[in-house]
Each structure stands twice: as structure tokens, then as C-alpha cells.
Amino acid sequence: MRIRQLQYFLVVAEEQSFTRAAARVHIRQSPLSRAIKELEDELGVQLFVRDKGRIRLTWPGEVFRDDARRLLSFLNSVRARTKAAKYGFRGHLRIALTDGLAQPRMTELLAKCREEEPLTDVRVFEMTVGEMVQALKFDQIDAGFTVHAGYQIEILIKDQVWTDRLVFAVPTRHPLLARDKLSLEEAVQHPLIICHPERCEGGYDVIHRLFRNEGLEPVVAQYVSGHELMMMFVAAGYGIGLALESQVALYCHPSVIIRSIQKEIAEAPTFLIRSNRTASPELERFLLRAKKIGGTTK
């Protein structure tokens, strides 16, 4: 079994077409089909059902897809760690960022890591919450940040590292700017721009819980995958944004005014999620630094 066979298999599984997969990996269709057939012969199973030009994974193919992803991720990690060792790094951390998080605290945390532990190679990956959970299950990352409070999975450990305030982002010349603070009841009378339920699942969870607890149903003008895009739509007058204060501060816009929420609302926590396997010393120190920066530990 060769690495290239696994790579070809995953592309075909994703494209569900030998023609599209061949174009994507820049080879002719016949050697691609032959590589998949050789892989099936070696495994002794049929990986794909071929029917009238369409293909789909068999059940053994779905099982093999998950393991193939895990194997290739492990090999990529081996390569990265070996190259890092070449440049003198002694430790290695793979950290996921979800929900479009780019908070100033994150910058401070990564800077502290470089300052206090320069021989630990810290690699950061952007993912959705669902991708992060799968990556933790398959040991593709060591930990990940999210504001999603709903994940309670037995194999995962969730530590709160800091909290943030929710605020409104309002376009200039909007009638609600007559108030210095806005109520949720007022806000739902206007179109809202909020996080996408899949691409920014944690942010959506925070906002959905907020309105659900108040018995309110917002009118959504636009779903967005991040705070920068949200500020663009707000500035263009498409609606009111609702987001984390630290995030909208990063993308300040002259046509957008920030307003606090009138009612005392619990702050949104940010969590560091990791598997329940024994953490490496590097990860333990990383978690401790995050809590110190967030003020959740001494």
C-alpha cells in the first residue's frame, strides 16, 4: 500500500467522480482508476460502487476513508515534527482555532509561548467545530479553541480559559443609535447578521442560546463565517451584527458603531478542548498559560 494510493482514494471519495478526481490530481483517469483497483485488490474489499457513471463509497470504503485520513494526517505530523527537529525544536503542539477566533488574548498566548518556550513548535490550524472534534478523536491535533458550550463528549476535556462580552455592531445613521445601550427585544425588530450555524458553529451556538433563553426569535438577514465579513455587511447597511466585543474591535469600521447590550447578559466563555488522553508537558504548560492570560487561574 503506497501513500499516493491513499491520497488518490481520498480525492475520489471526496469528488465522487474519477473524472473530477483525475483533473484535481493532474493525472489521466486510467492510471487513477488502476491505482484504486490495485488498492481494492490489496485490501480484498470493494471500496466504491460504480453505477452508470456515478460512484459512491461502500461501507468498507467509508471505514477505510476515516482510517486513511488518520494515517495521512499522522504521516504529515511526522514530517512536520522531523523538519521542526532539524531547526532545533524539541516539542510540538498542534492547536485548532474555530469560530473565526482571532482574539487579542490569542495573540498574547502565542507570543508567550514563543517567549517562554522557544523550542516548542506551535502550529495553528483553522477549522470548524465539527472538524476540530474529529481531529481530536483521530489525534490529528492536540487541542482546540471554541466558544461552543454545547459539546459534551466523553472522550473530550473542556477547560474554560477566558470570557468575552457580546455587543451589537450597528450601521451609522441607524435609528437604534439614539440609545447608548440596546435591548434584545429592540434588536429582534431589525434584521440581524449572525454566525453561520455550520461554518461558525460556536458563535451561532452562543447567539442561539442567548435568544432562546429570552424567548426571542431573530430575523436573520445574513449568515457569515467570521467577524470581518459581519462588519462588512453591517457597514453596508444589511443589518445589525451581534458578536464578541474582542472580535469586532479587531475589525473596526468607520461606518459601524458598537453598542452594549442593555440587559445584564452572562459573558461568553472561550474553551480549550482536548482529548482525555494524558496530555504532554507542552500541552499542560500551554493550558496553564491560557488560563493565566484569561484570569481563570493564578
Side-chain angles (χ1 to χ4, degrees):
M1 189 182 302
R2 298 186 297 276
I3 293 174
R4 190 165 297 278
Q5 285 178 309
L6 300 180
Q7 294 169 331
Y8 287 167
F9 163 76
L10 289 175
V11 173
V12 174
E14 185 175 327
E15 295 291 344
Q16 296 186 351
S17 162
F18 280 101
T19 303
R20 290 194 299 270
R24 183 169 154 186
V25 297
H26 308 294
I27 64 171
R28 289 180 292 111
Q29 185 173 332
S30 56
L32 176 63
S33 298
R34 187 165 57 249
I36 298 300
K37 182 64 169 62
E38 290 172 355
L39 185 59
E40 290 179 318
D41 290 343
E42 182 169 347
L43 291 169
V45 299
Q46 185 177 357
L47 297 172
F48 295 100
V49 174
R50 301 157 176 84
D51 182 27
K52 297 179 181 178
R54 300 182 62 184
I55 64 170
R56 59 180 175 83
L57 286 168
T58 61
W59 171 240
E62 291 185 27
V63 172
F64 184 68
R65 177 189 57 190
D66 292 340
D67 285 336
R69 283 175 176 167
R70 184 177 182 179
L71 179 57
L72 286 178
S73 177
F74 175 75
L75 291 173
N76 289 334
S77 179
V78 168
R79 289 193 186 100
R81 294 183 66 177
T82 303
K83 287 182 179 179
K86 173 184 175 182
Y87 296 105
F89 290 106
R90 300 288 179 180
H92 185 75
L93 280 176
R94 303 158 299 170
I95 305 298
L97 284 184
T98 73
D99 310 321
L101 292 174
Q103 303 184 47
R105 289 192 183 108
M106 205 75 71
T107 303
E108 184 181 352
L109 173 59
L110 294 174
K112 277 283 186 187
C113 290
R114 289 178 61 87
E115 176 187 331
E116 296 176 359
E117 206 165 330
L119 295 183
T120 295
D121 181 32
V122 181
R123 296 181 179 265
V124 179
F125 307 90
E126 287 187 285
M127 299 181 177
T128 65
V129 175
E131 289 169 342
M132 178 191 68
V133 171
Q134 289 301 310
L136 284 168
K137 285 182 179 179
F138 291 133
D139 194 29
Q140 295 169 342
I141 58 173
D142 300 297
F145 289 94
T146 182
V147 293
H148 201 307
Y151 271 98
Q152 301 292 340
I153 301 177
E154 204 171 289
I155 63 168
L156 301 179
I157 298 172
K158 184 168 66 176
D159 292 285
Q160 181 176 318
V161 290
W162 52 67
T163 60
D164 207 341
R165 270 200 323 162
L166 282 167
V167 294
F168 288 110
V170 186
T172 53
R173 296 184 294 278
H174 194 282
L176 287 180
L177 290 179
R179 302 179 182 276
D180 61 345
K181 292 186 177 183
L182 307 181
S183 69
L184 294 175
E185 289 78 10
E186 289 174 314
V188 295
Q189 304 304 315
H190 302 267
L192 287 175
I193 300 164
I194 63 174
C195 299
H196 193 279
E198 294 175 2
R199 294 194 293 272
C200 190
E201 187 179 347
Y204 176 81
D205 175 70
V206 169
I207 294 167
H208 178 69
R209 285 169 179 263
L210 176 65
F211 283 112
R212 186 183 62 192
N213 291 342
E214 298 297 320
L216 299 172
E217 187 68 34
V219 176
V220 179
Q222 188 78 36
Y223 288 113
V224 293
S225 58
H227 294 83
E228 186 174 12
L229 193 58
M230 173 183 291
M231 295 295 276
M232 181 190 77
F233 279 115
V234 172
Y238 278 64
I240 302 168
L242 181 56
L244 300 176
E245 183 178 33
S246 67
Q247 300 300 284
V248 295
L250 295 175
Y251 305 109
C252 57
H253 193 286
S255 298
V256 177
I257 308 298
I258 303 304
R259 286 287 189 261
S260 301
I261 298 178
Q262 192 176 71
K263 187 175 180 180
E264 194 66 35
I265 300 293
E267 292 188 324
T270 295
F271 303 97
L272 184 67
I273 297 183
R274 53 199 170 96
S275 75
N276 60 5
R277 293 184 291 269
T278 302
S280 68
E282 291 86 0
L283 181 55
E284 291 285 2
R285 292 192 293 270
F286 184 84
L287 174 60
L288 184 60
R289 286 190 194 98
K291 287 186 172 182
K292 284 183 177 178
I293 286 171
T296 54
T297 189
K298 297 296 183 181

